[in-house]
Amino acid sequence: MQAIKPNIWNGVIREFQEFLPKVKDDSIVTLREGNTPLIEAVNMGEVIGNELKIFLKYEGLNPTCSFKDRGMTMAVSKAKEEGSHAIICASTGNTAAAAAAYAARGGLRAYVLIPEGKIALGKLSQAMMHGAAVIQIQGNFDEALIIVKEVSKAYPVTLVNSINPYRLEGQKTAAFEVCNHLSFAPAYHFLPVGNAGNITAYWKGYKEFKEKGIINTLPKMFGFEAEGAAPIVRGYAIKNPETIASAIRIGNPSSWENAVKARDESGGVIDMVSDDEIIYAYKLLARDGIFCEPASAASLAGVIKMHKKGIFKNGDTIVCTLTGHGLKDPDTAIKSSDKPITAEPELSKVVELLGF
Ligand code: F0G
């Protein structure tokens, strides 16, 4: 008989403890986040050619279906260790979902402020189901963020937006996983940019692996904002950001300066893609078997845009982070697809419709 081969993943705090701030073991709040697959794109040859190696870091497979879980396990564990009983955040949806789940798990209260009518259905359902106090602001994310910052200064509640440094510490573990999977750092790392925390965190992670001699080279960091919500590209805050990619509908990112630093230190680019380009990439990914939410597809849309500019060399390894799962936003998925056909329950009718 063959022996069972244990393969247990303990969540990012325990797996990467030598790279992260210390947390007392009994304060760790985890849903065993991380260890998401890096999946090679195989059906994109017609669009991007076959000379590039494109890998998709599918962060939608985290416990609450977005990359936010990596940072939230750190922020909530630290809040618990420090004796906090409540957390608060502003969110375009995914941070709220992760905050709600990790707070529930750790026995803390979660307060989440979201822009009314502007977050995807799946995310709202998560925050509600995990028992967060959900406050819908008649305004946008940027306005909600100003409010939660003030509340956390005045009241006994820990802010868990990415200005909380533990969030980015947790999020940098995705860069470690990419390197561990490939055995080297990619030439390029593409990702969507909203509040600009994730690009900051990845860059930190790559640099730490290089300093420790685990990798020899660093990737160029390529971040993509949505055209209607592109403050970094345009060089000024956007008062009324608009995009179909509601997760990155942000006009004044908290980590603006750090994102610019990641771009400049790595020799990368921060650019923007239109909603049409985002939806095109979103569908292309789906046709490769991978369902992500619209904001996530800004990374691949960025690759397509840069490919047209001819910046890549044959054989370049490119990683795209797909930040959230497609099921987060079923409305956009259904709007972007052909409608199902309705048929009477009769063999002949169905065969006719199938077109055999
Ligand atoms: N992709 C998704 C799916 C997101 O939810 C976010 C951010 C981003 C990309 C951008 O990452 O902010 O680190 O540049 N969502 C935040 C939220 C703002 O509230 O869920 P970023």
Side-chain angles (χ1 to χ4, degrees), residues 17-95:
Q17 51 184 310
E18 70 265 43
F19 301 96
L20 293 172
K22 294 273 159 294
V23 189
K24 281 213 307 272
D25 204 67
D26 60 358
S27 297
I28 294 176
V29 181
T30 180
L31 291 161
R32 297 180 187 256
E33 57 295 310
N35 199 22
T36 56
L38 189 67
I39 305 169
E40 190 165 358
V42 292
N43 287 323
M44 295 184 188
E46 273 180 36
V47 179
I48 310 172
N50 293 310
E51 301 79 31
L52 303 173
K53 287 204 163 307
I54 298 177
F55 289 90
L56 309 162
K57 181 68 173 157
Y58 194 16
E59 289 287 274
L61 295 187
N62 274 297
T64 78
C65 307
S66 87
F67 72 99
K68 304 287 181 181
D69 295 343
R70 297 178 183 276
M72 206 53 76
T73 183
M74 270 303 307
V76 173
S77 299
K78 274 294 179 186
K80 195 176 162 90
E81 187 183 76
E82 288 159 9
S84 178
H85 296 294
I87 59 170
I88 191 166
C89 66
S91 180
T92 56
N94 282 324
T95 301

Side-chain angles (χ1 to χ4, degrees), residues 67-68 90-96 123 141 171 192-198 247-248 250 293 295-296 323-324:
F67 72 99
K68 304 287 181 181
S91 180
T92 56
N94 282 324
T95 301
K123 306 174 189 183
F141 169 84
Q171 281 176 215
V193 172
N195 211 23
N198 213 24
I248 53 171
I250 293 176
E293 64 172 288
S296 305
T323 44

Side-chain angles (χ1 to χ4, degrees), residues 181-231:
H181 184 114
L182 294 172
S183 308
F184 54 86
Y188 295 89
H189 194 116
F190 279 67
L191 70 177
V193 172
N195 211 23
N198 213 24
I199 190 168
T200 305
Y202 269 93
W203 182 234
K204 188 170 195 294
Y206 282 123
K207 281 198 301 187
E208 286 180 13
F209 254 30
K210 174 121 188 299
E211 276 156 25
K212 292 231 155 67
I214 300 168
I215 52 172
N216 301 317
T217 59
L218 289 168
K220 293 187 188 336
M221 301 301 296
F222 275 56
F224 284 82
E225 298 184 309
E227 217 168 70

Side-chain angles (χ1 to χ4, degrees), residues 47 69 79 82 90 130 140 163 170 176 205 226 232 235 240 287 300 311:
V47 179
D69 295 343
E82 288 159 9
H130 293 303
N140 60 34
I163 28 188
F176 299 161
I232 301 176
N240 295 308
R287 299 304 153 95
L300 182 67
I311 72 158

